[in-house]
PDB file of all heavy atoms in Angstrom:
ATOM      1  N   THR N 160       5.074   2.879 -12.295  1.00 98.00           N
ATOM      2  CA  THR N 160       6.446   2.724 -11.876  1.00 98.00           C
ATOM      3  C   THR N 160       7.210   2.028 -13.103  1.00 98.00           C
ATOM      4  O   THR N 160       8.393   2.429 -13.253  1.00 98.00           O
ATOM      5  CB  THR N 160       6.481   1.615 -10.765  1.00 98.00           C
ATOM      6  OG1 THR N 160       5.765   0.583 -11.125  1.00 98.00           O
ATOM      7  CG2 THR N 160       5.799   2.260  -9.457  1.00 98.00           C
ATOM      8  N   VAL N 183      16.389  -2.301  -5.971  1.00 98.00           N
ATOM      9  CA  VAL N 183      15.519  -1.315  -6.587  1.00 98.00           C
ATOM     10  C   VAL N 183      15.229   0.001  -5.742  1.00 98.00           C
ATOM     11  O   VAL N 183      15.644  -0.099  -4.605  1.00 98.00           O
ATOM     12  CB  VAL N 183      13.973  -1.960  -6.951  1.00 98.00           C
ATOM     13  CG1 VAL N 183      14.236  -3.077  -7.986  1.00 98.00           C
ATOM     14  CG2 VAL N 183      13.442  -2.433  -5.659  1.00 98.00           C
ATOM     15  N   GLY N 184      14.752   0.989  -6.402  1.00 98.00           N
ATOM     16  CA  GLY N 184      14.355   2.134  -5.598  1.00 98.00           C
ATOM     17  C   GLY N 184      13.017   1.753  -4.779  1.00 98.00           C
ATOM     18  O   GLY N 184      12.515   0.636  -4.923  1.00 98.00           O
ATOM     19  N   HIS N 185      12.564   2.796  -4.153  1.00 98.00           N
ATOM     20  CA  HIS N 185      11.444   2.362  -3.160  1.00 98.00           C
ATOM     21  C   HIS N 185      10.646   3.587  -2.646  1.00 98.00           C
ATOM     22  O   HIS N 185      11.250   4.738  -2.747  1.00 98.00           O
ATOM     23  CB  HIS N 185      12.001   1.701  -1.878  1.00 98.00           C
ATOM     24  CG  HIS N 185      13.230   2.440  -1.356  1.00 98.00           C
ATOM     25  ND1 HIS N 185      13.112   3.348  -0.270  1.00 98.00           N
ATOM     26  CD2 HIS N 185      14.406   2.554  -1.796  1.00 98.00           C
ATOM     27  CE1 HIS N 185      14.368   3.863  -0.057  1.00 98.00           C
ATOM     28  NE2 HIS N 185      15.205   3.406  -1.008  1.00 98.00           N
ATOM     29  N   GLY N 186       9.440   3.458  -2.173  1.00 98.00           N
ATOM     30  CA  GLY N 186       8.806   4.463  -1.469  1.00 98.00           C
ATOM     31  C   GLY N 186       9.535   4.691  -0.117  1.00 98.00           C
ATOM     32  O   GLY N 186      10.353   3.943   0.355  1.00 98.00           O
ATOM     33  N   GLU N 193       9.285   1.681   1.750  1.00 97.00           N
ATOM     34  CA  GLU N 193       7.724   1.597   1.528  1.00 97.00           C
ATOM     35  C   GLU N 193       7.420   1.144   0.240  1.00 97.00           C
ATOM     36  O   GLU N 193       8.271   1.220  -0.682  1.00 97.00           O
ATOM     37  CB  GLU N 193       7.136   2.972   1.981  1.00 97.00           C
ATOM     38  CG  GLU N 193       7.403   3.415   3.401  1.00 97.00           C
ATOM     39  CD  GLU N 193       6.599   4.853   3.600  1.00 97.00           C
ATOM     40  OE1 GLU N 193       6.154   5.332   2.738  1.00 97.00           O
ATOM     41  OE2 GLU N 193       6.624   5.305   4.815  1.00 97.00           O
ATOM     42  N   ASP N 194       6.153   0.954  -0.008  1.00 97.00           N
ATOM     43  CA  ASP N 194       5.561   0.712  -1.293  1.00 97.00           C
ATOM     44  C   ASP N 194       5.604   2.023  -2.071  1.00 97.00           C
ATOM     45  O   ASP N 194       5.504   2.988  -1.484  1.00 97.00           O
ATOM     46  CB  ASP N 194       4.230   0.108  -1.274  1.00 97.00           C
ATOM     47  CG  ASP N 194       4.130  -1.405  -0.957  1.00 97.00           C
ATOM     48  OD1 ASP N 194       5.256  -2.082  -1.255  1.00 97.00           O
ATOM     49  OD2 ASP N 194       2.991  -1.901  -0.597  1.00 97.00           O
ATOM     50  N   PRO N 195       5.845   1.974  -3.426  1.00 98.00           N
ATOM     51  CA  PRO N 195       5.897   0.697  -4.209  1.00 98.00           C
ATOM     52  C   PRO N 195       7.451   0.631  -4.356  1.00 98.00           C
ATOM     53  O   PRO N 195       8.286   1.547  -4.187  1.00 98.00           O
ATOM     54  CB  PRO N 195       5.344   1.359  -5.402  1.00 98.00           C
ATOM     55  CG  PRO N 195       5.676   2.820  -5.559  1.00 98.00           C
ATOM     56  CD  PRO N 195       5.630   3.139  -4.146  1.00 98.00           C
ATOM     57  N   GLU N 196       7.873  -0.621  -4.903  1.00 98.00           N
ATOM     58  CA  GLU N 196       9.212  -0.771  -5.336  1.00 98.00           C
ATOM     59  C   GLU N 196       9.340  -0.017  -6.685  1.00 98.00           C
ATOM     60  O   GLU N 196       8.372   0.193  -7.459  1.00 98.00           O
ATOM     61  CB  GLU N 196       9.486  -2.263  -5.670  1.00 98.00           C
ATOM     62  CG  GLU N 196       9.553  -3.115  -4.476  1.00 98.00           C
ATOM     63  CD  GLU N 196      10.078  -4.467  -4.822  1.00 98.00           C
ATOM     64  OE1 GLU N 196      10.139  -4.919  -5.930  1.00 98.00           O
ATOM     65  OE2 GLU N 196      10.694  -5.035  -3.890  1.00 98.00           O
ATOM     66  N   MET N 197      10.567   0.604  -6.822  1.00 98.00           N
ATOM     67  CA  MET N 197      10.839   1.515  -7.984  1.00 98.00           C
ATOM     68  C   MET N 197      11.945   0.911  -8.735  1.00 98.00           C
ATOM     69  O   MET N 197      13.198   1.371  -8.593  1.00 98.00           O
ATOM     70  CB  MET N 197      11.103   2.910  -7.625  1.00 98.00           C
ATOM     71  CG  MET N 197      10.053   3.707  -6.798  1.00 98.00           C
ATOM     72  SD  MET N 197       8.533   3.926  -7.773  1.00 98.00           S
ATOM     73  CE  MET N 197       9.143   4.747  -9.272  1.00 98.00           C
ATOM     74  N   PRO N 198      11.753  -0.144  -9.575  1.00 98.00           N
ATOM     75  CA  PRO N 198      12.891  -0.791 -10.328  1.00 98.00           C
ATOM     76  C   PRO N 198      13.463   0.217 -11.280  1.00 98.00           C
ATOM     77  O   PRO N 198      12.824   1.086 -11.843  1.00 98.00           O
ATOM     78  CB  PRO N 198      12.291  -2.006 -10.944  1.00 98.00           C
ATOM     79  CG  PRO N 198      10.842  -2.099 -10.315  1.00 98.00           C
ATOM     80  CD  PRO N 198      10.563  -0.806  -9.783  1.00 98.00           C
TER      81      PRO N 198
END
Side-chain angles (χ1 to χ4, degrees):
T160 56
V183 297
H185 49 92
E193 294 183 354
D194 278 343
E196 289 196 339
M197 299 294 308

